[in-house]
Amino acid sequence: MVLADVYNVCRFMLRFFTEVFRPPYEFRETIKQCYKVGYKSLALVSLTGFITGIVFTNQSRPSLAEFGATSWLPGLIAIAIVRALAPLITSLIVAGKVGSNIGAELGSMKVTEQIEAMEVSATNPFKFLVVSRVVATTLMNPLLVCYMAFVGLLGAYLNVHQHEDTSFLAFFQHGFPSISFLDLFASLIKSVVYGFTVGITGCYQGYNATKGTEGVGKAANVAVVVSMFLIFIEELIIVLIVNQFRP
């Protein structure tokens, strides 16, 4: 059973990579999905990123203060947010908000036979429904990660400024030198991989939903759970690989 599921997922992914480069291209639907994935998630990402920056700063300050090293706080926060917190937390938010929506939307279309109706009308439902959504999550997740990193650093700066009266320029002058090109590149790779994972998982679960309305709920639930599980596994693998290149 497990091997059959793995085989079906691999076939689904192979079909995606085949269809994504083959015309015609659904530009309008892809842009629509980018709007839904990106713009519609800004409010939640903004709030979460801002709170993350403040909370992490508050949690880190007492430990550094014991050694008289509060001046390291901007660098520590910048490393933590850029390397791990921004890509991981943003992708989990996208998995919960967008992944469940994709699973439920495609699942409802599957059980009501709308997908079969699209095939009869000479429309490629896989390209229109799956390819556009996976491309949207893959493209928008890195942008959301960059935005959350900025908002998180802004929240951290406001917290540091409140306690240490540090200027905006001084905060970033101490923070950014701690970030290497490898950190930025690794975060970009993470965000792309996580975005693809959320999109392909949600689409696979919804596109293969069964058993009526019960199947729709199961598709949405499984899409979120599996996406989050895979994101943590991918995080571990990418970190292990990137650490091999650190001096």
Side-chain angles (χ1 to χ4, degrees):
M1 184 65 179
V2 176
L3 293 178
D5 290 338
V6 173
Y7 173 73
N8 291 331
V9 171
C10 291
R11 283 189 59 190
F12 192 83
M13 292 177 61
L14 181 61
R15 185 178 178 186
F16 166 79
F17 286 112
T18 302
E19 296 281 358
V20 71
F21 298 110
R22 181 184 299 169
Y25 304 109
E26 300 289 349
F27 289 114
R28 180 173 297 181
E29 180 65 15
T30 302
I31 293 173
K32 176 183 176 183
Q33 294 303 320
C34 287
Y35 171 80
K36 293 173 68 174
V37 173
Y39 181 76
K40 293 290 187 179
S41 302
L42 281 180
L44 185 57
V45 170
S46 300
L47 179 62
T48 307
F50 191 75
I51 293 175
T52 298
I54 293 176
V55 170
F56 186 79
T57 306
N58 276 330
Q59 294 292 335
S60 302
R61 180 180 287 104
S63 300
L64 294 178
E66 290 181 5
F67 301 95
T70 53
S71 60
W72 294 359
L73 199 55
L76 174 65
I77 296 167
I79 291 174
I81 290 179
V82 172
R83 282 189 185 179
L85 294 178
L88 186 60
I89 294 178
T90 304
S91 301
L92 293 178
I93 292 173
V94 172
K97 184 179 184 301
V98 178
S100 60
N101 182 65
I102 291 175
E105 185 178 12
L106 296 191
S108 62
M109 295 182 69
K110 179 69 174 180
V111 299
T112 56
E113 300 182 353
Q114 295 181 49
I115 294 179
E116 287 78 359
M118 293 177 67
E119 293 175 345
V120 173
S121 62
T123 301
N124 186 344
F126 192 92
K127 181 178 287 290
F128 185 81
L129 299 175
V130 176
V131 173
S132 61
R133 284 162 173 78
V134 177
V135 169
T137 57
T138 305
L139 293 178
M140 289 295 104
N141 198 54
L143 297 180
L144 289 174
V145 168
C146 294
Y147 176 72
M148 182 176 179
F150 171 76
V151 174
L153 290 173
L154 180 61
Y157 159 71
L158 293 177
N159 187 277
V160 171
H161 177 73
Q162 180 183 3
H163 290 82
E164 280 87 26
D165 197 26
T166 304
S167 68
F168 185 82
L169 183 61
F171 177 85
F172 283 94
Q173 283 179 338
H174 284 83
F176 275 98
S178 304
I179 304 172
S180 66
F181 174 78
L182 183 61
D183 295 330
L184 298 175
F185 181 74
S187 294
L188 178 62
I189 295 298
K190 285 181 183 180
S191 58
V192 171
V193 172
Y194 299 163
F196 175 80
T197 299
V198 171
I200 204 73
T201 304
C203 288
Y204 175 79
Q205 294 298 331
Y207 205 81
N208 295 281
T210 56
K211 300 181 181 179
T213 54
E214 179 185 351
V216 175
K218 182 180 178 181
N221 182 59
V222 173
V224 176
V225 174
V226 173
S227 294
M228 290 183 174
F229 175 76
L230 291 176
I231 286 172
F232 283 115
I233 297 297
E234 292 164 351
E235 171 77 13
L236 175 62
I237 294 173
I238 294 175
V239 167
L240 291 176
I241 294 174
V242 171
N243 285 340
Q244 300 300 317
F245 296 93
R246 294 194 186 280

